[in-house]
Coordinates of all heavy atoms in Angstrom, one line a residue:
Chain B
D447 N 141.0 94.2 90.4 CA 141.4 92.9 89.9 C 140.5 91.7 90.4 O 140.1 90.8 89.7 CB 142.9 92.6 90.2 CG 143.3 91.2 89.8 OD1 143.2 90.8 88.6 OD2 143.5 90.4 90.7
L448 N 140.2 91.8 91.7 CA 139.4 90.8 92.3 C 137.9 90.9 91.9 O 137.2 89.9 92.0 CB 139.5 90.9 93.9 CG 140.9 90.6 94.4 CD1 140.9 90.9 95.9 CD2 141.3 89.1 94.2
E515 N 142.1 86.4 103.2 CA 143.1 86.6 102.2 C 143.5 85.3 101.5 O 143.6 85.3 100.2 CB 144.3 87.3 102.7 CG 145.3 87.8 101.6 CD 146.3 88.8 102.2 OE1 146.8 88.6 103.3 OE2 146.7 89.7 101.4
R516 N 143.6 84.3 102.2 CA 143.9 83.0 101.6 C 142.8 82.5 100.7 O 143.1 82.0 99.6 CB 144.2 81.9 102.7 CG 145.5 82.1 103.4 CD 146.0 80.8 104.1 NE 145.1 80.5 105.3 CZ 145.3 81.0 106.5 NH1 146.2 81.9 106.7 NH2 144.4 80.7 107.5
A517 N 141.6 82.7 101.1 CA 140.5 82.3 100.2 C 140.5 83.2 98.9 O 140.3 82.6 97.8 CB 139.1 82.5 101.0
V518 N 140.8 84.4 99.1 CA 140.8 85.3 97.9 C 141.9 85.0 97.0 O 141.8 84.9 95.8 CB 140.9 86.8 98.4 CG1 141.2 87.7 97.3 CG2 139.6 87.2 99.1
D519 N 143.1 84.7 97.6 CA 144.2 84.3 96.7 C 143.9 83.0 96.0 O 144.3 82.8 94.8 CB 145.5 84.1 97.6 CG 146.0 85.4 98.1 OD1 145.6 86.5 97.5 OD2 146.9 85.4 99.0
R520 N 143.2 82.1 96.6 CA 142.9 80.8 96.0 C 142.0 81.1 94.8 O 142.1 80.4 93.7 CB 142.2 79.9 97.0 CG 141.9 78.5 96.5 CD 143.2 77.8 96.4 NE 143.0 76.4 96.0 CZ 143.8 75.6 95.4 NH1 145.0 76.2 94.9 NH2 143.6 74.4 95.1
Y521 N 141.1 82.0 95.0 CA 140.2 82.3 93.9 C 141.0 82.8 92.7 O 140.8 82.5 91.6 CB 139.2 83.4 94.4 CG 138.7 84.3 93.3 CD1 137.8 83.9 92.2 CD2 139.0 85.7 93.3 CE1 137.4 84.8 91.3 CE2 138.6 86.6 92.3 CZ 137.8 86.1 91.3 OH 137.4 86.9 90.3
R522 N 142.0 83.7 93.0 CA 142.8 84.2 91.9 C 143.5 83.1 91.1 O 143.7 83.2 89.9 CB 143.8 85.2 92.4 CG 143.2 86.6 92.7 CD 144.2 87.7 92.8 NE 144.7 88.2 91.5 CZ 145.9 88.1 91.1 NH1 146.8 87.5 91.8 NH2 146.2 88.5 89.9
E523 N 144.0 82.1 91.9 CA 144.6 81.0 91.2 C 143.7 80.2 90.3 O 144.0 79.6 89.3 CB 145.2 80.0 92.2 CG 146.4 80.5 93.0 CD 146.6 79.7 94.3 OE1 146.2 78.6 94.4 OE2 147.3 80.3 95.2
L524 N 142.4 80.0 90.8 CA 141.5 79.1 90.2 C 140.6 79.7 89.1 O 140.0 79.0 88.3 CB 140.6 78.5 91.3 CG 141.3 77.6 92.3 CD1 140.3 77.2 93.4 CD2 141.8 76.3 91.6
R525 N 140.5 81.0 89.2 CA 139.4 81.6 88.3 C 139.7 81.5 86.9 O 140.8 81.4 86.4 CB 139.3 83.1 88.7 CG 140.4 84.0 88.3 CD 140.2 85.4 88.6 NE 141.4 86.2 88.5 CZ 141.5 87.5 88.9 NH1 140.5 88.1 89.5 NH2 142.6 88.1 88.7
E526 N 138.6 81.4 86.1 CA 138.7 81.5 84.7 C 138.3 82.9 84.2 O 137.6 83.6 85.0 CB 137.8 80.4 84.1 CG 138.4 79.0 84.3 CD 137.6 77.9 83.7 OE1 136.5 78.1 83.3 OE2 138.1 76.8 83.8
P527 N 138.6 83.2 83.0 CA 138.4 84.6 82.6 C 136.9 85.0 82.8 O 136.0 84.2 82.5 CB 138.7 84.6 81.1 CG 139.7 83.5 81.0 CD 139.4 82.5 82.0
E529 N 135.2 85.2 85.5 CA 134.6 84.6 86.7 C 134.7 85.5 87.9 O 135.8 85.9 88.3 CB 135.1 83.3 87.0 CG 134.4 82.1 86.4 CD 135.0 80.8 86.9 OE1 136.0 80.7 87.6 OE2 134.4 79.8 86.5
F531 N 134.3 85.8 92.2 CA 134.7 84.9 93.3 C 133.6 83.8 93.4 O 133.9 82.6 93.5 CB 134.8 85.7 94.6 CG 135.1 84.8 95.8 CD1 136.4 84.6 96.2 CD2 134.1 84.3 96.5 CE1 136.7 83.8 97.3 CE2 134.3 83.5 97.6 CZ 135.7 83.2 98.0
T534 N 133.6 81.1 90.6 CA 134.6 80.1 90.8 C 134.3 79.2 91.9 O 134.4 78.0 91.8 CB 136.0 80.9 91.1 OG1 136.2 81.8 90.0 CG2 137.1 79.9 91.2
R537 N 131.8 76.7 90.8 CA 132.3 75.8 89.8 C 133.2 74.7 90.4 O 133.0 73.5 90.2 CB 133.1 76.5 88.7 CG 133.7 75.6 87.6 CD 134.3 76.4 86.5 NE 135.3 77.4 86.9 CZ 136.6 77.1 87.2 NH1 137.0 75.9 87.2 NH2 137.4 78.1 87.7
V538 N 134.2 75.2 91.3 CA 135.1 74.2 91.8 C 134.7 73.6 93.1 O 135.2 72.6 93.5 CB 136.5 74.9 92.0 CG1 137.0 75.5 90.7 CG2 136.6 75.9 93.1
P542 N 138.7 72.9 97.4 CA 139.9 73.6 97.1 C 140.1 74.9 98.0 O 141.3 75.2 98.4 CB 139.8 74.1 95.7 CG 138.7 73.2 95.1 CD 137.8 72.8 96.2
F543 N 139.0 75.5 98.3 CA 139.2 76.7 99.2 C 139.5 76.3 100.6 O 140.4 76.9 101.3 CB 137.8 77.5 99.2 CG 137.6 78.3 97.9 CD1 136.9 77.8 96.9 CD2 138.2 79.6 97.8 CE1 136.8 78.5 95.7 CE2 138.0 80.3 96.7 CZ 137.3 79.8 95.6
E545 N 141.1 73.7 101.6 CA 142.5 73.3 101.6 C 143.4 74.5 101.8 O 144.3 74.5 102.7 CB 142.9 72.6 100.3 CG 142.6 71.2 100.3 CD 142.7 70.7 98.8 OE1 143.4 71.3 98.0 OE2 141.9 69.7 98.5
S546 N 143.2 75.6 101.1 CA 144.1 76.8 101.2 C 143.9 77.5 102.5 O 144.8 78.0 103.1 CB 143.8 77.8 100.1 OG 143.5 77.2 98.9
I547 N 142.6 77.5 103.0 CA 142.4 78.2 104.2 C 143.0 77.6 105.4 O 143.6 78.2 106.2 CB 140.9 78.4 104.4 CG1 140.3 79.3 103.3 CG2 140.5 79.0 105.8 CD1 138.8 79.2 103.2

Side-chain angles (χ1 to χ4, degrees):
Chain B
D447 170 67
L448 294 172
E515 190 166 36
R516 286 197 294 275
V518 168
D519 287 345
R520 188 68 174 151
Y521 152 69
R522 283 197 78 246
E523 291 161 19
L524 295 171
R525 70 179 168 188
E526 289 182 351
E529 266 184 352
F531 178 92
T534 303
R537 178 172 55 81
V538 305
F543 284 94
E545 276 163 27
S546 323
I547 292 164

